[in-house]
Amino acid sequence: MSTQFKAGRVLAPDSKLTGEEPDWHGWEKWDTHKFYATRQRAMRFYNYYLDATAMKPMVLTWMKKEGYTQTEIDSIKDASPNVLPSTVGKLVRCLERGMPSMHPDAHEYYAALPDHLHPPTPKDDCSTAKSEINAALVFLRHAKYGAAQETATPKAAAPTPLQRIKSKVEKEIVGALLDPLLDAWADTSLSVATVNLVSYLRDGKVPTQGCKHILEWLNAVHAEYNGAYTKEDAQLVEGYDYIPRSDLRKIVKNLETMIGDVQAHAKIKVSMRKPRTKKVKDAGKQIAHLKYQINSSEYSIDSISPARIPTAQRLYVFNTKTRQLGVYIAKGSAGFEVKGTSIKGYDESTSYSATLRKPKDLINAVLSSAPKALDKTLEGSKLNKKPANGRFNEHTVLLKVIENKL
């Protein structure tokens, strides 16, 4: 979210939801519960309003106060904003606004936390921020040295398309979104965070091959936390005993939700994949005036390319305004033809439309089921079928086509 500052304060246009920026004035008179509750709210507040780019200048100013050299400051300044975990910027902001590096009664507070076999050790926030900055400086020095070495060696072979997809996913999804979750879950003073992957996958146009790498990461992390939660692995139970069981349950549930989102996105991408070799004569001219809805955030669905409709044998569409599913079956081997905003060449006796009571369930079936299995699912749903009219508009999402005759 874009952020503006006024009089040294972060503006909070959604203050009814988030509250104003936390103020640490008079914290000495607070009890530990209020102190750590305010610290948790501060983390959530800055996560909502400040991105890595907005927090970077504050970190640079703080580094100067803490005695870092100009060379070290310039190194962080010239690097990507994501070279530091977002927690660093949040802590720096709190420290600059008067939060102490550690509450004097921190040990007693953490020792009294419930659901812990061994009380967690409180962390010094100033030391934590410096540790992360120092680790980033070491990484940047190694990266710079490696770049200098590469100039003296022959150029490596260009990465393959699959390698580029893997690198993009590891950087933009795993590195920027998922890895920071592990840091957040390790801090038991914060609420259990999660990431809504649906919008990131869609907006980032992550292909099916990229989903494979995301699932590998999610499944590996899920196996660890689930092993600790179900107590199937004694080593995992001991390793994660600092996390309350209620939080472990939330973490496992969040991971399972994210795994389901990635799997659903992969199926949708497969259904949207354009045929590689099939060439439709004058398909571009046929669909030039076709009206349809590109995507629907309400139902998390995207339209396939309309260029796949001409000559196809079956077409499934969904009207997001009327909640009507349209099933079109071609009359002959020549398939469909598109004229203006209508589809021609469908069999009026077998094609139909029906209003759905639970759209998401049947939409998922349309996108993920094989043709014959889908026929059984639709027949078993006892739909109130009506004649299809073949007309599309700006509320029509093109769900799926089947090129070959069944």
Side-chain angles (χ1 to χ4, degrees):
M1 177 178 291
S2 61
T3 306
Q4 292 183 344
F5 295 84
K6 185 175 182 180
R9 181 172 58 87
V10 177
L11 292 180
D14 296 333
S15 58
K16 290 183 179 179
L17 174 67
T18 64
E20 297 292 344
E21 183 176 12
D23 185 359
W24 294 95
H25 179 70
W27 69 266
E28 300 89 344
K29 299 179 181 178
W30 301 348
D31 58 32
T32 53
H33 291 285
K34 180 178 179 180
F35 178 88
Y36 283 104
T38 303
R39 185 181 181 278
Q40 291 178 26
R41 189 176 78 81
M43 298 296 109
R44 293 193 297 268
F45 180 90
Y46 296 131
N47 187 63
Y48 187 85
Y49 288 107
L50 299 178
D51 56 17
T53 302
M55 288 188 283
K56 189 174 182 179
M58 299 186 296
V59 175
L60 296 175
T61 301
W62 185 78
M63 287 177 65
K64 187 173 182 180
K65 292 181 180 178
E66 293 298 316
Y68 283 88
T69 66
Q70 190 60 46
T71 301
E72 292 171 328
I73 295 172
D74 290 341
S75 181
I76 297 294
K77 179 180 179 181
D78 296 337
S80 165
N82 294 320
V83 73
L84 292 173
S86 61
T87 305
V88 174
K90 299 170 190 175
L91 292 177
V92 165
R93 181 68 179 176
C94 289
L95 292 169
E96 288 292 274
R97 287 180 59 79
M99 184 188 77
S101 186
M102 181 187 294
H103 193 280
D105 298 327
H107 290 277
E108 291 81 354
Y109 173 78
Y110 276 87
L113 289 176
D115 300 325
H116 287 281
L117 294 178
H118 303 289
T121 303
K123 302 175 183 178
D124 182 288
D125 288 333
C126 182
S127 299
T128 299
K130 288 184 177 181
S131 178
E132 294 290 354
I133 292 173
N134 293 339
L137 290 171
V138 172
F139 168 79
L140 292 172
R141 281 196 292 270
H142 288 174
K144 184 176 181 181
Y145 174 77
Q149 290 293 98
E150 287 178 4
T151 59
T153 58
K155 262 191 173 181
T160 65
L162 289 178
Q163 288 172 336
R164 287 197 293 268
I165 291 173
K166 181 179 180 181
S167 177
K168 175 183 174 69
V169 165
E170 288 179 345
K171 178 181 178 182
E172 298 181 4
I173 302 296
V174 175
L177 297 175
L178 300 180
D179 276 340
L181 277 180
L182 300 182
D183 295 334
W185 292 340
D187 191 342
T188 57
S189 66
L190 302 177
S191 59
V192 176
T194 188
V195 171
N196 184 351
L197 283 179
V198 174
S199 59
Y200 287 105
L201 294 172
R202 183 176 63 246
D203 297 343
K205 300 179 180 178
V206 177
T208 305
Q209 297 89 337
C211 293
K212 173 185 175 183
H213 303 297
I214 301 174
L215 286 172
E216 287 177 355
W217 189 95
L218 289 172
N219 285 324
V221 175
H222 176 268
E224 285 205 16
Y225 281 99
N226 193 54
Y229 176 68
T230 60
K231 300 184 178 180
E232 295 176 355
D233 189 313
Q235 290 184 338
L236 291 175
V237 172
E238 183 178 356
Y240 289 98
D241 69 340
Y242 64 93
I243 300 179
R245 276 188 60 77
S246 59
D247 285 354
L248 273 177
R249 179 176 57 81
K250 292 177 183 178
I251 291 171
V252 170
K253 185 176 180 181
N254 288 345
L255 286 166
E256 290 171 351
T257 299
M258 288 187 280
I259 289 172
D261 289 341
V262 177
Q263 291 173 336
H265 178 78
K267 290 180 180 179
I268 293 172
K269 281 297 181 182
V270 169
S271 68
M272 292 172 58
R273 189 177 296 162
K274 296 181 181 180
R276 296 183 179 180
T277 58
K278 190 175 181 67
K279 293 184 179 180
V280 181
K281 185 178 180 180
D282 296 324
K285 292 182 180 179
Q286 288 190 45
I287 65 171
H289 302 290
L290 182 67
K291 293 181 180 179
Y292 66 101
Q293 187 172 343
I294 296 176
N295 56 56
S296 169
S297 58
E298 179 181 359
Y299 295 99
S300 298
I301 52 177
D302 301 282
S303 283
I304 61 170
S305 170
R308 298 180 62 185
I309 298 176
T311 75
Q313 291 295 315
R314 289 201 182 193
L315 171 64
Y316 300 85
V317 302
F318 178 70
N319 189 298
T320 57
K321 183 176 181 181
T322 62
R323 295 187 290 112
Q324 283 195 335
L325 174 71
V327 179
Y328 293 89
I329 301 174
K331 185 182 296 185
S333 59
F336 301 123
E337 180 184 1
V338 178
K339 286 188 176 181
T341 60
S342 300
I343 184 175
K344 306 295 181 181
Y346 65 90
D347 189 338
E348 296 181 3
S349 63
T350 56
S351 301
Y352 62 91
S353 66
T355 302
L356 304 183
R357 289 181 300 171
K358 297 181 178 180
K360 291 188 177 180
D361 294 342
L362 277 182
I363 288 173
N364 287 333
V366 170
L367 294 174
S368 60
S369 300
K372 292 184 179 180
L374 178 56
D375 285 345
K376 292 181 180 179
T377 300
L378 293 176
E379 288 299 327
S381 300
K382 298 181 181 180
L383 300 174
N384 184 16
K385 298 180 181 179
K386 299 178 182 178
N389 58 26
R391 294 191 296 273
F392 299 162
N393 57 35
E394 63 273 12
H395 303 295
T396 305
V397 177
L398 312 176
L399 295 176
K400 182 178 185 177
V401 296
I402 298 175
E403 284 85 3
N404 300 322
K405 197 173 185 67
L406 300 183

